[in-house]
Amino acid sequence: MIPSFDTPRRLPAEVDLTLLWSALFLLLLGMVMVYSASAAIAEADRYTGNHPAYYLVRHGIFLAIGLSAAAIAFQIPMTTWERIAPWLFVAGCVLLALVLIPGIGREVNGARRWLPLGVVNLQPSELMKLFAVLYAADYTVRKMPYMHNLKKAFLPMACAMIAVGVLLLKEPDFGAFVVVISIAMGILFLGGMRARLFAVLIIVLLAAFTALIITSPYRRDRIFGFMDPWADAFGRGYQLSHALIAFGRGEFFGVGLGASVEKLFYLPEAHTDFLLAVIAEELGFIGVTLVVVLFGLLIQRAFAIGRQAVTLDRLYPALVAQGIGIWIGVQGFINMGVNMGVLPTKGLTLPLMSFGGSGILINCVALAIVLRVDWENRQLMRGAKL
């Protein structure tokens, strides 16, 4: 007898505890570090009312909303996510288009990425990352008999991703575009795309990314700043040079929680894009290693849950779980690489940790879906034993 998936019992033993505790610890550590990185900035800013806990309070509210949304998302069966996936993808495209309309989308630092909703701003590109996972998994399951065929399997998905890419690059948000493409390609590969075809597509994508960089002056400047940040340390290499200084000051054990110097108006976006640099300065190599290990555990468990779903002949949930693992892994790798000077500067936050309402909300919902996949796996295995 196969058990119903409509009313899960939310008991600790019913879900993967390693995944759950890794995510919760990253959220908690992120909250602490957001406060540490933003207190001085908030205290000096009239916009925040000169209140040092301004960003902490907002981050706490976003986290509470995210956990509440995650609790709701956990109640939704995977069959429902599969049914509404195409509609969510269309809704995401509509929101990305609305951002570009003058008077509707909000522009900050030359980028139009937010929809103002009163006291908060919604960033549709964050929603699109989750919608891309859900849609790509649904598409791959539907096209499974044709995964060897370029025309039938890849081209329709390529058209959808090109449409999303055009909207994201208009904002511009090259970082989100890279993450969304990585999600789609990763899920297609896991779904059975031939390795030779996948390799050719990767080469084509790399050539396309190179062309986008060459034809964009500000992207070229970021590449040159990345190659030698000290050549123009007060210009295009400013962010990276101060991130590297923060890593150097932290050494092995760090200078101590709250004792960072770089966060005191030297390191831009210290509580968002460059939160890891503050962690490195205050908690040192030990702190950064802890963050990397926690992300590694989280991603490993997402893929393990996906593999377990495959053994139970549940392909869509498997691809969703592993797609979320790809998303968290790629975005986390890019953010860490940027902070460490391994990759050019991109406007991507550290998942689960950086300040940002849309990101925290969607990350929590995404991990709740992975936990839902795990819960349904366990119920099926329990039913099989009975």
Side-chain angles (χ1 to χ4, degrees), residues 68-279:
S68 299
I72 295 171
F74 181 72
Q75 305 299 319
I76 301 175
M78 293 307 300
T79 53
T80 302
W81 288 114
E82 184 174 9
R83 186 171 62 252
I84 65 176
W87 299 107
L88 290 175
F89 185 77
V90 171
C93 291
V94 171
L95 291 174
L96 289 177
L98 285 176
V99 167
L100 302 176
I101 300 175
I104 297 181
R106 182 186 178 191
E107 185 173 338
V108 178
N109 296 329
R112 190 182 295 273
R113 301 176 184 174
W114 296 269
L115 291 173
L117 302 176
V119 296
V120 297
N121 296 311
L122 176 68
Q123 191 171 355
S125 60
E126 293 293 337
L127 275 67
M128 180 51 76
K129 294 169 187 174
L130 176 59
F131 297 166
V133 171
L134 298 172
Y135 174 70
D138 172 63
Y139 175 89
T140 302
V141 171
R142 287 188 284 110
K143 296 290 184 177
M144 190 61 64
Y146 312 105
M147 289 308 292
H148 64 283
N149 189 304
L150 174 65
K151 183 178 179 180
K152 292 183 178 180
F154 176 73
L155 289 184
M157 174 61 79
C159 292
M161 290 301 109
I162 288 172
V164 172
V166 169
L167 293 171
L168 288 172
L169 292 175
K170 284 287 186 181
E171 295 185 4
D173 195 344
F174 186 72
F177 175 54
V178 171
V179 173
V180 169
I181 292 298
S182 299
I183 290 169
M185 292 298 296
I187 289 178
L188 285 174
F189 179 73
L190 292 172
M193 179 178 285
R194 288 186 301 177
R196 184 178 299 177
L197 175 59
F198 185 78
V200 172
L201 294 175
I202 290 295
I203 294 171
V204 172
L205 282 173
L206 290 175
F209 288 150
T210 302
L212 287 171
I213 292 170
I214 293 174
T215 56
S216 174
Y218 88 91
R219 293 192 186 107
R220 287 202 307 270
D221 287 343
R222 285 188 171 184
I223 292 294
F224 292 140
F226 155 72
M227 294 174 66
D228 187 5
W230 309 109
D232 187 12
F234 294 99
R236 61 193 181 193
Y238 183 80
Q239 289 178 308
L240 179 54
S241 62
H242 280 280
L244 293 175
I245 291 171
F247 271 85
R249 291 192 75 247
E251 297 184 347
F252 200 81
F253 293 106
V255 297
L257 184 63
S260 167
V261 171
E262 286 300 315
K263 69 184 181 184
L264 303 177
F265 311 101
Y266 293 105
L267 185 62
E269 310 297 337
H271 58 303
T272 56
D273 298 354
F274 286 91
L275 185 67
L276 187 69
V278 178
I279 294 174

